[in-house]
Amino acid sequence: MNIQNELNKAEGFKNLELLAKQVVEGFISGMHKSPFHGFSAEFAEHKMYNQGESTRHIDWKLYAKTDKLYTKRYDDETNLRCHIIIDNSSSMHYPELSNFSIQHLNKIAFSALASASLMYLFKKQRDAIGLSIYSDDYDFYAPEKGSERHHQMLLNRLSNVVVSKPVNKQTDTYKYLHEIAEKIHKRSMIFLFTDMFQTTQEETKLFEALRHLKYNKHEVILFHVFDKEKEFTFNFDNTPKRFVDVETGDYINLYADTIKENYTAAVSTYFDALRLKCAQYKINYVEADINKDFNTILTTYMIERQKFV
């Protein structure tokens, strides 16, 4: 079976690797025009050319784009170990979509494309990459490796997750974060993509699981993935609607304005508590609104990498 062909039939991403490359190259191109100019060039395995150095390794294509001289930097060793964790519960597949593009994403597609973009950067930096996916089970685990075969395997897995469409899949996030933390022994950068919605356990257990990820001096970045317009501001028109919990199947019929004030107050309180706990545990909390671009995620990686090395 050709996995990629099957995925294409399922109306997911047609070419996740190409889209990730497009995201990253667009980001780096934009950074060349910003105050982070030198930073992004160094990040892309270049360094500023210093007068007197050999001109042998000058990147003339980059010079044509930026009017600045950079030399290519070569590094044969793996610099970092990075592990990506993705929540694949039913709530991560909101809103329900069949076709995906950079401008048209739900939470799981946003997480997959963001992860693929990070993997593209890891690959450029010769970093070792691992991946964990969980829902109501520990669905997938791959240890950190840096080979091309491993990279393609992870891309296929990410593509498959986007079109999996789990039904009534709840998750014990706290349980699987503990399990994943036990698997990652060597100091790593850990990237967690989740909407942090959980129906079965109190917040304290979830926060304790996040703290567990900090063991062994890991650097942890939590990308809190959500649809800000709908899930935070509750921006629905005030007509009768049925709101369904995609993880439990429970539903309620009501007018949006009836509960909007109480809903937004409760969500805001929870999000504030989450930010506070992340600050206490020295976890980098990053708001990842699926309606925005990926610049915040890629910039966060660049900054965290500088801190980690």
Side-chain angles (χ1 to χ4, degrees), residues 24-268:
V24 173
E25 292 187 348
F27 169 74
I28 291 177
S29 176
M31 294 295 272
H32 283 312
K33 301 172 185 177
S34 76
F36 288 94
H37 173 85
F39 187 33
S40 65
E42 181 182 1
F43 169 74
E45 293 188 291
H46 293 82
K47 66 182 183 68
M48 290 288 294
Y49 171 76
N50 294 315
Q51 189 173 2
E53 290 183 343
S54 170
T55 59
R56 178 182 177 187
H57 297 301
I58 288 178
D59 190 330
W60 295 108
K61 289 183 179 179
L62 187 57
Y63 172 74
K65 292 179 181 179
T66 66
D67 199 31
K68 301 284 186 179
L69 288 176
Y70 295 94
T71 57
K72 295 179 181 179
R73 186 178 62 188
Y74 297 92
D75 185 0
D76 295 329
E77 64 179 357
T78 296
N79 297 317
L80 296 181
R81 300 175 67 86
C82 307
H83 199 91
I84 296 172
I85 306 171
I86 296 180
D87 173 0
N88 189 36
S89 58
S90 293
S91 65
M92 287 289 287
H93 289 257
Y94 175 84
E96 186 173 337
L97 301 173
S98 56
N99 296 307
F100 301 93
S101 67
I102 293 178
Q103 292 79 28
H104 194 54
L105 302 166
N106 59 12
K107 289 188 283 187
I108 195 67
F110 183 96
S111 301
L113 183 50
S115 297
S117 300
L118 289 172
M119 285 167 48
Y120 179 81
L121 296 175
F122 300 155
K123 183 179 175 183
K124 285 176 66 66
Q125 298 296 110
R126 299 178 179 86
D127 295 333
I129 314 157
L131 176 66
S132 288
I133 301 170
Y134 69 89
S135 56
D136 57 355
D137 200 357
Y138 195 162
D139 299 328
F140 178 78
Y141 168 73
E144 298 79 17
K145 295 181 181 179
S147 69
E148 177 62 25
R149 181 178 179 181
H150 181 75
H151 183 81
Q152 292 301 321
M153 183 267 288
L154 297 188
L155 286 173
N156 280 333
R157 178 60 64 167
L158 289 174
S159 294
N160 194 29
V161 164
V162 170
V163 298
S164 60
K165 296 180 181 177
V167 178
N168 293 345
K169 284 268 190 179
Q170 301 182 45
T171 183
D172 290 329
T173 295
Y174 79 99
K175 175 182 177 182
Y176 299 113
L177 291 186
H178 281 305
E179 288 190 24
I180 293 167
E182 293 294 336
K183 283 181 175 290
I184 306 173
H185 301 294
K186 295 184 178 180
R187 184 172 180 249
S188 304
M189 290 184 70
I190 299 176
F191 301 87
L192 171 60
F193 290 87
T194 176
D195 57 12
M196 292 299 289
F197 290 139
Q198 182 159 311
T199 57
T200 59
Q201 292 292 333
E202 62 269 23
E203 295 172 11
T204 53
K205 286 193 175 182
L206 192 54
F207 294 152
E208 286 302 309
L210 286 174
R211 187 165 69 172
H212 191 182
L213 288 176
K214 286 291 293 184
Y215 286 7
N216 294 326
K217 298 182 179 179
H218 299 314
E219 192 70 31
V220 180
I221 302 96
L222 167 61
F223 292 118
H224 188 191
V225 185
F226 59 98
D227 184 335
K228 191 167 187 177
E229 181 181 9
K230 302 298 185 184
E231 294 181 318
F232 186 79
T233 62
F234 208 66
N235 188 17
F236 295 93
D237 60 81
N238 195 36
T239 56
K241 285 185 174 56
R242 172 168 291 184
F243 292 90
V244 181
D245 185 329
V246 294
E247 296 196 0
T248 66
D250 294 339
Y251 66 87
I252 184 172
N253 298 318
L254 48 75
Y255 288 88
D257 285 359
T258 304
I259 65 165
K260 182 172 183 177
E261 184 176 351
N262 289 337
Y263 172 88
T264 54
V267 170
S268 181

Side-chain angles (χ1 to χ4, degrees), residues 242-303:
R242 172 168 291 184
F243 292 90
V244 181
D245 185 329
V246 294
E247 296 196 0
T248 66
D250 294 339
Y251 66 87
I252 184 172
N253 298 318
L254 48 75
Y255 288 88
D257 285 359
T258 304
I259 65 165
K260 182 172 183 177
E261 184 176 351
N262 289 337
Y263 172 88
T264 54
V267 170
S268 181
T269 297
Y270 173 57
F271 282 16
D272 287 344
L274 178 58
R275 291 188 188 93
L276 178 61
K277 287 297 181 183
C278 286
Q280 290 174 347
Y281 300 154
K282 293 182 170 52
I283 291 172
N284 191 337
Y285 173 92
V286 181
E287 180 180 298
D289 180 4
I290 64 173
N291 301 303
K292 294 187 177 181
D293 59 34
F294 298 91
N295 286 1
T296 299
I297 289 172
L298 299 179
T299 301
T300 299
Y301 166 68
M302 291 167 55
I303 294 171

